[in-house]
Amino acid sequence: MTRAAASRPARERLLAAAGELFYESGIAATSVDAVLARAGVSPATMYAHFAGKDALVAAYLEQRHEVWRRTWDAVLAEREDPVERLLSLFDAVGRYRSHEGNRRGCAFLAAATELPADHPGHRWLEADTHLLVERLRTLASAAGVPDPDDAAATLLLLYDGALDRFARAATTPGLPDDDPLVRARALAATWVDAQLAGRRRT
Amino acid sequence: MTRAAASRPARERLLAAAGELFYESGIAATSVDAVLARAGVSPATMYAHFAGKDALVAAYLEQRHEVWRRTWDAVLAEREDPVERLLSLFDAVGRYRSHEGNRRGCAFLAAATELPADHPGHRWLEADTHLLVERLRTLASAAGVPDPDDAAATLLLLYDGALDRFARAATTPGLPDDDPLVRARALAATWVDAQLAGRRRT
DNA sequence: GTCTATACTCCGATAGAC
DNA sequence: GTCTATCGGAGTATAGAC
């Protein structure tokens, strides 16, 4: 019984296995063999679907990017208040994490430290940052924040901080257990309120 | 001319080479051979000083931890105002980065995503978090912040966020160029002021 | 499309001389 | 303490049959 359930197509099983192993153990530390074993796929089949490990890594990152984007879309679709829409970033992270079962930090930031500069997967790291900055800028503008660029930079800082705290908690269990997302969201809300109050006074 | 200047002892050259390569290219992606080549040291010499790659990695992390701690110590020694001492974290990061020439993010968080849970270097990742939390808690208490645990958690979040923005900037150059440390420090200062104002009113 | 078996490179670590 | 030379194993990728 070395094979996984072969009901789903091989490509799908490979991506699922890669998603778990790359995220849990790191990309460089995960061998192709390990992915093959978990997916229950032979080497030749994998190389029929992906040009090599680099291509598999890129597909893994693309998959995460798409799921994350759709998760945020879904949360946004539930919000009407402009400020709530701006702060939806933190709610979307919470939903993404609970849905995907992510215990560690941000897969894209982890990949950024592991991949060489010319790796094909780099495209998705840039796409992640681009999505965050552009969307935050647009939402901040719609919410009436005076300086949308400034708002995007501030919320991105709080977002990164919250995700890194998850990574820290994974290595050092003895930390205070409060939810970094709640903290980051609260700080963001306070900051946005101050910005809007400043605008009203001006 | 494949050898580096052999003036310094081999162990020192190995640590210097490891410090550059592990940080720039990642730990798992850096082979022992690459470290040996840059240090101008033969394999046998390295294994006379370090039990293996894991031990070299642990020594690399210990070295970074010590330098970082001393840098923060030096900045703290220059500050007398309790609030300035609490915020010195961000100034210390700035000095550490300019001194060490770090263009990427936090070496400890990067290592946390790369190293398996039982790696000997894990001790220094915990030491890093422990130093941050304990020191921030003590400094916050001295500054008269009502809830020192809360303050430590908030400043740690801003600290992590700033460091991650550096990692992001390394992968996506098209971002707004402002200094994340300045932003994080400003947010921290505002938060601390609000805490102190709240205490005075209470 | 998928498998078994294998080629070949690179890595981490060691043996033994000086 | 330091070197040269090399071993054993793991890793990525391919060949060829079904």
Side-chain angles (χ1 to χ4, degrees):
Chain A
M1 180 59 187
T2 63
R3 304 266 304 274
S7 51
R8 291 184 299 166
R11 184 191 160 88
E12 217 172 301
R13 299 207 310 275
L14 283 167
L15 276 177
E20 297 168 14
L21 292 173
F22 286 155
Y23 183 72
E24 291 294 331
S25 311
I27 293 172
T30 300
S31 70
V32 173
D33 278 1
V35 177
L36 295 174
R38 175 169 295 211
V41 170
S42 71
T45 302
M46 194 210 94
Y47 285 99
H49 287 283
F50 301 96
K53 182 177 180 178
D54 285 353
L56 180 62
V57 169
Y60 151 71
L61 293 172
E62 177 183 7
Q63 178 186 239
R64 281 194 87 95
H65 178 72
E66 282 304 307
V67 173
W68 158 238
R69 193 176 56 75
R70 282 178 207 162
T71 304
W72 197 0
D73 281 341
V75 173
L76 268 177
E78 301 167 7
R79 305 274 194 282
E80 298 216 343
D81 178 71
V83 173
E84 283 296 307
R85 286 173 62 82
L86 176 56
L87 296 175
S88 69
L89 167 64
F90 301 99
D91 307 322
V93 175
R95 187 176 301 186
Y96 181 77
R97 287 179 60 84
S98 66
H99 185 265
E100 297 288 315
N102 294 326
R103 299 183 187 176
R104 304 184 68 178
C106 174
F108 297 105
L109 282 168
T113 69
E114 287 202 83
L115 303 186
D118 59 342
H119 192 283
H122 235 84
R123 176 187 166 186
W124 301 106
L125 308 185
E126 295 170 14
D128 178 62
T129 301
H130 189 76
L131 177 72
L132 284 164
V133 172
E134 282 306 312
R135 203 169 260 196
L136 285 175
R137 187 147 42 192
T138 303
L139 292 172
S141 185
V145 174
D147 187 341
D149 288 348
D150 196 44
T154 295
L155 265 66
L156 183 61
L157 188 129
L158 293 170
Y159 166 84
D160 281 339
L163 289 179
D164 254 9
R165 278 268 328 248
F166 287 120
R168 237 180 236 287
T171 68
T172 310
L175 285 181
D177 299 324
D178 71 320
D179 191 337
L181 276 177
V182 173
R183 182 177 298 277
R185 194 193 203 280
L187 287 168
T190 302
W191 186 85
V192 169
D193 282 349
Q195 294 294 112
L196 293 176
R199 176 171 207 172
R200 280 195 295 272
R201 277 200 298 272
T202 307
Chain B
M1 182 60 188
T2 63
R3 303 268 302 277
S7 51
R8 291 185 296 165
R11 185 191 160 87
E12 217 172 299
R13 299 207 309 276
L14 283 167
L15 277 177
E20 297 169 13
L21 292 173
F22 286 155
Y23 183 71
E24 291 294 331
S25 311
I27 292 173
T30 299
S31 70
V32 174
D33 278 1
V35 177
L36 294 175
R38 175 169 294 212
V41 169
S42 71
T45 302
M46 194 211 93
Y47 285 98
H49 286 283
F50 302 97
K53 182 179 180 177
D54 285 352
L56 180 62
V57 169
Y60 151 72
L61 292 171
E62 177 183 7
Q63 177 185 241
R64 280 193 88 96
H65 178 73
E66 282 302 309
V67 173
W68 158 239
R69 194 177 55 75
R70 284 179 207 160
T71 303
W72 196 1
D73 281 342
V75 173
L76 269 177
E78 301 167 6
R79 305 273 194 283
E80 298 217 342
D81 179 71
V83 174
E84 282 296 307
R85 286 172 64 82
L86 177 56
L87 297 175
S88 70
L89 167 64
F90 301 99
D91 307 322
V93 175
R95 187 175 301 187
Y96 182 77
R97 287 177 61 82
S98 65
H99 185 265
E100 296 289 313
N102 294 327
R103 298 183 187 176
R104 305 182 68 177
C106 175
F108 296 105
L109 283 168
T113 68
E114 287 202 82
L115 302 187
D118 60 342
H119 192 283
H122 235 84
R123 176 187 165 187
W124 301 107
L125 309 184
E126 296 170 14
D128 178 61
T129 301
H130 188 76
L131 176 72
L132 284 165
V133 171
E134 283 306 312
R135 205 170 259 195
L136 284 175
R137 187 147 43 193
T138 302
L139 292 172
S141 185
V145 174
D147 188 340
D149 287 348
D150 197 45
T154 297
L155 266 65
L156 183 60
L157 187 130
L158 294 170
Y159 166 85
D160 281 339
L163 289 179
D164 254 10
R165 278 265 332 246
F166 287 121
R168 240 179 233 287
T171 67
T172 309
L175 286 180
D177 300 322
D178 70 318
D179 191 338
L181 277 178
V182 173
R183 183 177 299 276
R185 194 192 202 280
L187 287 168
T190 302
W191 187 85
V192 170
D193 282 349
Q195 294 294 111
L196 294 176
R199 175 170 206 171
R200 280 196 294 273
R201 276 200 299 269
T202 308

